[in-house]
C-alpha cells in the first residue's frame, strides 16, 4: 500500500471475488476507513477506454447551449429524480453549488413494481441525443456496481464479518445513484469563501469517484484540509454517513469539499447504497463498541447514530434538501 498526499492508494487487483476478499486487501481498506474515510483504488478492472469515452461524451454534452441541455431537465424526470440541473440549482448545506450536472440511476422500465407504485427515485433515465451517450452511461454503471459489490465484501471482512454481510442485509439489490458533474471555470473575488461544493459528508454507504485531471477535491483530515489529487487510472472511494451509523462510528464519514477550479472540471460520483426498503440498524456484531456522539465535531451538527427506519425514508429526507423546488413539485 502506497500513499498519495496521505490518502492511501490500494491495489485491489486481487479483489476479484465478492465471496472471498483477500485478507490483506480488506485490512488495508479497513485501515484507510479508520484513519481517513477515503482511499484510492487501482487494479479495479474497470475499462479505462470506457472511462475516457464517457468523459469525452460528457464534455460534448456540457458544451451544448443551456436550452439544449434543458431538454432533459430534472423537471421532466418526475418522481424518478433524473436529468439535468443548471449551475446553482443544487444546494449543499443550503448554499448553491457552482456546478451543473446530470442525475442517473438504475434504468427501470415502466413495468417495474417500484415504478408502478410511484416510488420516488425509481424509473427511466433521461439521456441527451448524443450518439453513444446512453450506452456509455449504462455500461459504466454496470461496471461500477460490480466494483461496489467487491469493495463492500472487503469492507465486511475488514470488520471481522462474513464477506456477504452487507449483501445479505442491504446491497443484494443496491440502490444505485450516479452523477456527472461539470464545474465551470470560475475565479472567485479575493476573500470570497465560495466553493465549487461546500463542506459536506456523503449520506450513503460507499461513494466511488472518478475525477478528471483538473483537481480541486479536498478532504478534512485531523482537522485540516488536504488535497485529494487525481491519480491516473484510479477511483477515489469514501464512506458515507450510513456506513458510519452501521459501524457505530468505527468507520467515520469524512467531510470533503471542492474548490473553485481554475479550468473546467468533470467528476463522476457513483453512490452504492442500501436497498430502498432496507431497515437500517447498527451491526449487531459490533455491539460492544461504544457509540460516541460526534455531532459537535460535524459540519452539520447531526448525530448519524440517530438514523432509523428504511434507507429510502432517510434518503428522501436528504435529497429533498438538495433540490427544495423539485421536492415541492415532485415528492
Amino acid at each position: 500500500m502506497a500513499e498519495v498526499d496521505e490518502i492511501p492508494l490500494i491495489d485491489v487487483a486481487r479483489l476479484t471475488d465478492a465471496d472471498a476478499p483477500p485478507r490483506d486487501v480488506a485490512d488495508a481498506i479497513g485501515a484507510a476507513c479508520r484513519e481517513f474515510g477515503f482511499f484510492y483504488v487501482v487494479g479495479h478492472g474497470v475499462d479505462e477506454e470506457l472511462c475516457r469515452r464517457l468523459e469525452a461524451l460528457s464534455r460534448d454534452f456540457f458544451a451544448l447551449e443551456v436550452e439544449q441541455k434543458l431538454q432533459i431537465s430534472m423537471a421532466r424526470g418526475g418522481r424518478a429524480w433524473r436529468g439535468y440541473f443548471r449551475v446553482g440549482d443544487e444546494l449543499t448545506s443550503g448554499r448553491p453549488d457552482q456546478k451543473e450536472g446530470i442525475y442517473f440511476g438504475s434504468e427501470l422500465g415502466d413495468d417495474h413494481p417500484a415504478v408502478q407504485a410511484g416510488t420516488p427515485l425509481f424509473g427511466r433515465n433521461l439521456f441527451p441525443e448524443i450518439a453513444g451517450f446512453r450506452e456509455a452511461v449504462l455500461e459504466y454503471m454496470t461496471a461500477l456496481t460490480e466494483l461496489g459489490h467487491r469493495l463492500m465484501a472487503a469492507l465486511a471482512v475488514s470488520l471481522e464479518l462474513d464477506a456477504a454481510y452487507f449483501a445479505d442485509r442491504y446491497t443484494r439489490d443496491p440502490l444505485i445513484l450516479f452523477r456527472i458533474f461539470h464545474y465551470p471555470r470560475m475565479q472567485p473575488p479575493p476573500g470570497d469563501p465560495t466553493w465549487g461544493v461546500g463542506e459536506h459528508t456523503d449520506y450513503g454507504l460507499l461513494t466511488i469517484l472518478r475525477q478528471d485531471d483538473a483537481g480541486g477535491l479536498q478532504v478534512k483530515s485531523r482537522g485540516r484540509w488536504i488535497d485529494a489529487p487525481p491519480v491516473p487510472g484510479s477511483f477515489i472511494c469514501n464512506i458515507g454517513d450510513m456506513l458510519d451509523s452501521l459501524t457505530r462510528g468505527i468507520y467515520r464519514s469524512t467531510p470533503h469539499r471542492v474548490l473553485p477550479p481554475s479550468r473546467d472540471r468533470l467528476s463522476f460520483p457513483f453512490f452504492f447504497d442500501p436497498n430502498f426498503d432496507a431497515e437500517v440498524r447498527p451491526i449487531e456484531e459490533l455491539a460492544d463498541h461504544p457509540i460516541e456522539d460526534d455531532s459537535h465535531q460535524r459540519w452539520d451538527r447531526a448525530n448519524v447514530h440517530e438514523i432509523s427506519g428504511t434507507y429510502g425514508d432517510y434518503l428522501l429526507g436528504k435529497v429533498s434538501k438538495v433540490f427544495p423546488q423539485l421536492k415541492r413539485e415532485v415528492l
Side-chain angles (χ1 to χ4, degrees):
M1 181 176 70
E3 290 187 351
V4 176
D5 282 356
E6 300 187 71
I7 298 173
L9 175 68
I10 303 171
D11 189 339
V12 296
R14 292 185 295 115
L15 192 59
T16 58
D17 187 350
D19 294 330
R23 184 72 213 204
D24 60 327
V25 176
D27 287 345
I29 290 174
C33 289
R34 286 180 169 87
E35 181 69 15
F36 298 97
F38 273 76
F39 54 95
Y40 293 91
V41 295
V42 293
H44 43 69
V46 178
D47 183 14
E48 182 62 23
E49 191 281 327
L50 168 63
C51 295
R52 288 195 294 265
R53 177 159 39 100
L54 182 59
E55 181 174 331
L57 290 165
S58 299
R59 294 192 187 282
D60 289 344
F61 173 76
F62 290 115
L64 296 173
E65 297 295 330
V66 172
E67 292 74 16
Q68 293 173 283
K69 291 183 281 193
L70 286 173
Q71 291 177 6
I72 60 163
S73 70
M74 291 185 73
R76 301 186 179 190
R79 296 177 71 81
W81 212 276
R82 313 286 173 84
Y84 168 76
F85 68 90
R86 298 168 299 180
V87 174
D89 282 354
E90 181 171 294
L91 307 181
T92 298
S93 303
R95 183 174 183 172
D97 293 338
Q98 300 304 305
K99 68 174 188 290
E100 60 182 337
I102 319 176
Y103 271 42
F104 300 99
S106 298
E107 179 75 352
L108 303 173
D110 296 339
D111 58 346
H112 189 281
V115 179
Q116 291 190 335
T119 308
L121 305 180
F122 289 82
R124 297 182 183 275
N125 291 292
L126 300 179
F127 295 102
E129 293 184 3
I130 296 176
F133 197 104
R134 179 182 189 275
E135 292 77 11
V137 167
L138 295 180
E139 185 179 349
Y140 186 86
M141 287 197 294
T142 297
L144 270 287
T145 299
E146 193 274 335
L147 176 60
H149 281 295
R150 289 188 281 131
L151 291 174
M152 289 307 302
L155 281 163
V157 170
S158 76
L159 291 162
E160 307 293 340
L161 303 170
D162 184 84
Y165 182 90
F166 292 110
D168 288 346
R169 292 162 178 79
Y170 299 108
T171 60
R172 188 74 65 190
D173 180 19
L175 182 66
I176 298 301
L177 301 173
F178 174 49
R179 318 291 189 231
I180 302 177
F181 291 148
H182 172 233
Y183 297 78
R185 179 183 180 277
M186 62 175 293
Q187 185 62 47
D192 185 343
T194 299
W195 306 115
V197 174
E199 179 178 350
H200 66 285
T201 52
D202 292 344
Y203 41 69
L205 277 182
L206 178 68
T207 304
I208 307 172
L209 173 72
R210 179 178 172 88
Q211 310 182 68
D212 70 3
D213 60 358
L217 176 64
Q218 291 191 322
V219 174
K220 202 169 197 178
S221 175
R222 305 182 196 93
R224 62 189 179 89
W225 290 103
I226 62 173
D227 290 331
V231 175
S234 78
F235 294 101
I236 187 166
C237 304
N238 65 279
I239 61 175
D241 293 344
M242 181 54 59
L243 192 57
D244 188 330
S245 178
L246 294 180
T247 63
R248 304 172 70 89
I250 294 176
Y251 293 170
R252 288 193 173 172
S253 52
T254 302
H256 48 288
R257 68 185 183 187
V258 178
L259 300 179
S262 58
R263 59 186 174 88
D264 283 17
R265 175 181 186 265
L266 289 179
S267 72
F268 303 82
F270 178 91
F271 302 97
F272 187 93
D273 289 340
N275 182 274
F276 190 85
D277 295 320
E279 292 280 343
V280 295
R281 57 178 61 89
I283 296 170
E284 306 91 333
E285 289 82 350
L286 304 179
D288 291 339
H289 186 277
I291 294 177
E292 177 185 349
D293 177 8
D294 64 343
S295 57
H296 64 288
Q297 300 175 351
R298 282 179 55 90
W299 62 279
D300 58 356
R301 300 297 185 263
N303 184 354
V304 300
H305 304 294
E306 293 179 345
I307 297 171
S308 62
T310 68
Y311 184 70
D313 287 341
Y314 161 78
L315 180 62
L316 289 177
K318 293 291 185 179
V319 299
S320 64
K321 294 178 181 178
V322 174
F323 290 100
Q325 177 65 26
L326 192 63
K327 173 190 174 183
R328 289 190 292 270
E329 295 174 356
V330 174
L331 294 184

